[in-house]
Amino acid sequence: TRQITSDGRWKHGPLLTDGRRLFFVEQIGMFNRAMSVPIAGGEVSPLPIQFSDVALRDISADGRRLLVQSSFPSAPSLWIVSLDGGPPELVKPGEIDASWSLDGKSLFLGHGDSMSVVALTGTSRSLATMLPGNVFAPREAPNSGTIRASLWNPKQESFSIWEIPLDGRGAREITGISKQGYSTEHGIWTGDGKYFVYEVGTKKQQDLWVKRERPAWYPGHRKPLRLTAGAGFWSWPMPSNQDETIFAINRYVRSELLELDSHPDAKHPD
């Protein structure tokens, strides 16, 4: 591992990248501020976003537009913020989790127990309603016609990862990717779609796991592998779009960003 930040401030994901920088949120005083740091490490600096209290949601595939949830000074709303400058563009009022489609033409919105897709032209359609939990961190799967999202079940006080087809033909829980009774959340694919990286844990410990998605030449090839083992509280994995590196937030005494040099194929080579 390689430590990237060292300012000691509380950090929250998702981690996002444009290939040169990592974007995340830091708690500064009473507010959550959008920040950036060079991937190689260095000084953490604030993003020029006009909102005082924000949550990052996603970054477009071209690395030029952020989805940002604001909560102050205006009412909670979802915005598109260009990293090239210019005023933010309102998407929708309310507390919404969201992500970009891979082609950059649509947004996937999670609101309560429902999922919908909204084209930037303004048209929208429902993908799922009355899901067994609140939708967080939706991400489109490369070349599969599905989305995976984290669902928070308030009764069980745990997350699970669900797959939602883009044709709306029924959502299903992704099972067999963690130990019984453990929470799974914040899954994301590598850029080539071969691996799915996600969090597994409890309130006391959380680690990063990876599962091979394709191709899988024999059943054991799809067996989930643990990338971290208890050295801190790992969260919000972000695969690099340039190599096999995985970035993540690690809370261990202090909250800092680290880079993993683990190779997902270490135990199951092609």
Side-chain angles (χ1 to χ4, degrees), residues 16-265:
L16 308 172
T17 184
D18 63 356
R20 300 179 297 109
R21 298 168 292 176
L22 291 169
F23 306 104
F24 51 95
V25 165
E26 279 192 342
Q27 185 175 339
I28 301 177
M30 297 178 61
F31 298 110
N32 293 315
R33 309 283 191 178
M35 312 294 283
S36 71
V37 67
I39 282 179
E43 183 178 353
V44 174
S45 57
L47 290 177
I49 294 177
Q50 70 181 52
F51 309 109
S52 301
D53 195 31
V54 303
L56 298 182
R57 297 307 193 203
D58 197 14
I59 190 168
S60 58
D62 61 10
R64 299 176 61 184
R65 295 171 293 174
L66 292 171
L67 284 175
V68 175
Q69 174 79 50
S70 68
S71 58
F72 188 84
S74 59
S77 298
L78 182 69
W79 302 82
I80 295 174
V81 175
S82 173
L83 292 171
D84 297 330
E89 178 185 346
L90 178 64
V91 176
K92 191 174 182 179
E95 289 281 354
I96 303 167
D97 214 325
S99 66
W100 288 94
S101 64
L102 295 177
D103 62 12
K105 297 179 180 180
S106 302
L107 303 176
F108 301 111
L109 307 184
H111 185 66
D113 62 0
S114 300
M115 275 284 305
S116 61
V117 57
V118 177
L120 295 186
T121 57
T123 60
S124 65
R125 61 184 175 89
S126 174
L127 295 177
T129 59
M130 299 181 67
L131 292 166
N134 294 328
V135 178
F136 294 93
R139 292 294 184 269
E140 184 180 6
N143 306 312
S144 76
T146 62
I147 300 167
R148 285 185 184 172
S150 302
L151 264 62
W152 168 252
N153 187 319
K155 293 182 179 180
Q156 299 178 359
E157 294 189 343
S158 66
F159 280 97
S160 57
I161 295 176
W162 284 63
E163 189 167 82
I164 303 166
L166 293 179
D167 61 12
R169 294 185 179 179
R172 69 178 184 93
E173 183 178 358
I174 304 297
T175 59
I177 60 174
S178 72
K179 297 179 181 179
Q180 182 69 27
Y182 278 56
S183 184
T184 57
E185 58 187 300
H186 301 151
I188 189 170
W189 281 268
T190 54
D192 56 12
K194 289 184 178 180
Y195 298 96
F196 186 67
V197 190
Y198 55 98
E199 305 168 24
V200 175
T202 64
K203 292 180 180 180
K204 296 182 178 180
Q205 177 182 333
Q206 192 157 283
D207 288 301
L208 302 183
W209 287 65
V210 62
K211 181 179 181 293
R212 178 119 188 187
E213 293 288 298
R214 61 178 180 83
W217 306 116
Y218 56 91
H221 218 167
R222 288 182 179 267
K223 183 178 179 181
L225 299 175
R226 180 185 286 186
L227 294 180
T228 62
F233 196 85
W234 294 87
S235 63
W236 293 107
M238 177 67 224
S240 168
N241 53 18
Q242 298 177 340
D243 54 32
E244 294 172 341
T245 297
I246 296 174
F247 301 100
I249 294 175
N250 179 266
R251 297 190 180 100
Y252 183 67
V253 181
R254 290 158 56 123
S255 174
E256 304 302 346
L257 307 188
L258 297 177
E259 172 190 294
L260 302 181
D261 55 10
S262 302
H263 194 297
D265 269 343

